[in-house]
Amino acid sequence: MKEVTVNGKNVKWELIPAAGRTVCKINLPNADVAEVVVKTGKEVPYFPPVLLEGNLGEVLSVSTDQAQIESVKDPQNVLSELKIQRNSFAGRLVGQKGFHTIFVLTKVGKAPQLRVFRIKVNDPAGDAREAGRFVEKVPSNAVFENIAISKMLNADVTAIYKQAYLSPRPNTVSVRLGTDGYSPWTFWHWKSLPPDIKIDQVNKMLDGSNRLITKQGVPFAWNAGDKNIAFTSLWDNYPHQIDFQVNTSGDAVWFLVSGSTNVMQCQIANAVIRLQYADGKTDSLELVPPINYWNLSTIDSHATAPGQGSRTDYTAEIDRFCLPAKFPETVQLGENCRAMLLNLKLRSGVALKSVTLETLSQEVVVGLMGITVMKHQK
């Protein structure tokens, strides 16, 4: 920048940093009409955010393309042992895996800029430990014990969108889900009605002992009555949590989970399954969409604005950025009704005393349809 005039007169100006660029701030005098003339010097290019990647514990070195570093802001504390040189900085990756942002105040000549660095932190060792908590594939010679939970069932899964979720709600205008538990505020305008939930495929999966055998080979006791799921929710329609007695030991415990979620509850724990062992120790499994918990039905918006497609479900092409490398196991119970098949390995030789399902997020209904303990293999 060399000079700024307004209506032919010089005015005060200053250069201030902005994301990837420099902005000129002008003191504009009172005027009905303003003709602003800016005389510039050498053009400074725009620097878009830079995506970097590394593993926990590794040292990450970053260059600022000849710009002189004034300061480094690391609000998420992703770097330790931070060392700053004239036009580079380095630090050891710490904290949690995932995406983080670092802001670097720089100067290119006399022009201040705020460089933005997006850092993806990987944790291969942690991923391996986490994967070790689960059974990858059902052994062909596994023996199962179905846990009786029929007394705890409190609803029919097909009625999830056929009731009114009236409280708690703020006593004012809001953009919460509609009282059907399915519809955002736009769905009424688009005439997008809740789907009809059916479990018409269940009979094909039942054996002679009234067990539901999933395609993955895991059996669950099935209640043929008018209640087939134990729902929990922060809506007052259902309890916030339900405890299920187990009192047995084995290699792993399997869960058949079904319920609702929505895009506003994505990437956070909608619910948690807690394990209580006989010796007092505990374990837990968080239900996080879209990692291991999906809505029981597709969500069809029928959007009508130009350029708005009607996305109904998770797809690898569009949503790969937020999906796990391996999709969670599902069981299709019928039209518009699927359940998630989840498991956790158990501690050897210690009885699992009980299991608790607790909903953590607003505007969702999460239910447990079955619990099965996989015993030692034959």
Side-chain angles (χ1 to χ4, degrees), residues 14-35:
E14 64 175 319
L15 297 179
I16 60 175
R21 66 180 78 238
T22 302
V23 173
C24 179
K25 179 181 178 183
I26 302 171
N27 292 319
L28 190 66
N30 292 330
D32 294 330
V33 178
E35 182 183 80

Side-chain angles (χ1 to χ4, degrees), residues 51-252:
L51 177 61
L52 303 171
E53 188 171 354
N55 295 331
L56 276 176
E58 293 180 348
V59 174
L60 184 71
S61 298
V62 183
S63 172
T64 54
D65 293 332
Q66 305 304 315
Q68 182 176 340
I69 296 176
E70 299 284 310
S71 63
V72 176
K73 294 184 179 180
D74 179 15
Q76 296 170 305
N77 298 316
V78 68
L79 292 179
S80 68
E81 306 169 24
L82 180 64
K83 296 179 181 179
I84 302 175
Q85 296 181 343
R86 180 179 175 84
N87 50 30
S88 67
F89 65 94
R92 192 173 301 278
L93 292 173
V94 295
Q96 295 183 340
K97 65 175 289 188
F99 287 92
H100 306 267
T101 304
I102 287 180
F103 304 95
V104 182
L105 181 61
T106 68
K107 272 194 174 181
V108 181
K110 295 182 179 180
Q113 289 187 338
L114 195 64
R115 301 285 178 88
V116 179
F117 295 90
R118 292 280 286 158
I119 300 176
K120 182 186 178 185
V121 179
N122 300 315
D123 183 12
D127 291 344
R129 289 193 300 271
E130 182 67 12
R133 301 177 64 208
F134 308 104
V135 176
E136 179 72 17
K137 184 178 180 180
V138 180
S140 59
N141 57 350
V143 176
F144 294 93
E145 178 183 347
N146 300 137
I147 306 303
I149 65 169
S150 59
K151 293 182 179 180
M152 309 307 297
L153 304 180
N154 58 11
D156 179 359
V157 69
T158 65
I160 187 171
Y161 297 137
K162 295 180 179 178
Q163 53 191 292
Y165 298 95
L166 301 177
S167 64
R169 285 181 178 270
N171 188 25
T172 182
V173 175
S174 73
V175 290
R176 302 191 73 184
L177 286 184
T179 57
D180 57 18
Y182 173 83
S183 306
W185 68 274
T186 51
F187 276 28
W188 179 87
H189 174 72
W190 290 333
K191 297 180 174 57
S192 301
L193 300 177
D196 188 14
I197 307 298
K198 299 180 181 179
I199 54 173
D200 48 309
Q201 297 298 313
V202 167
N203 285 338
K204 298 178 182 179
M205 292 185 278
L206 296 178
D207 67 2
S209 301
N210 214 39
R211 296 186 310 166
L212 186 149
I213 312 297
T214 71
K215 63 181 180 181
Q216 296 86 353
V218 181
F220 292 93
W222 182 259
N223 186 40
D226 57 357
K227 294 180 180 180
N228 48 42
I229 194 166
F231 271 148
T232 64
S233 180
L234 298 186
W235 297 116
D236 291 336
N237 301 52
Y238 300 108
H240 294 181
Q241 70 177 53
I242 299 178
D243 300 324
F244 305 86
Q245 296 302 308
V246 179
N247 296 315
T248 191
S249 59
D251 289 344

Side-chain angles (χ1 to χ4, degrees), residues 230-233 257-260 270-271 287 293 357 359 364-368:
F231 271 148
T232 64
S233 180
V257 176
S258 188
S260 66
N270 284 202
L287 306 185
Y293 179 60
L357 173 65
T359 289
V364 304
V365 179
V366 185
L368 194 57

Side-chain angles (χ1 to χ4, degrees), residues 1-13 24 26 28 34-40:
M1 292 286 296
K2 292 182 177 180
E3 182 183 65
V4 179
T5 62
V6 177
N7 296 332
K9 296 182 180 181
N10 289 327
V11 295
K12 292 182 179 181
W13 56 273
C24 179
I26 302 171
L28 190 66
E35 182 183 80
V36 179
V37 177
V38 178
K39 293 183 179 180
T40 63

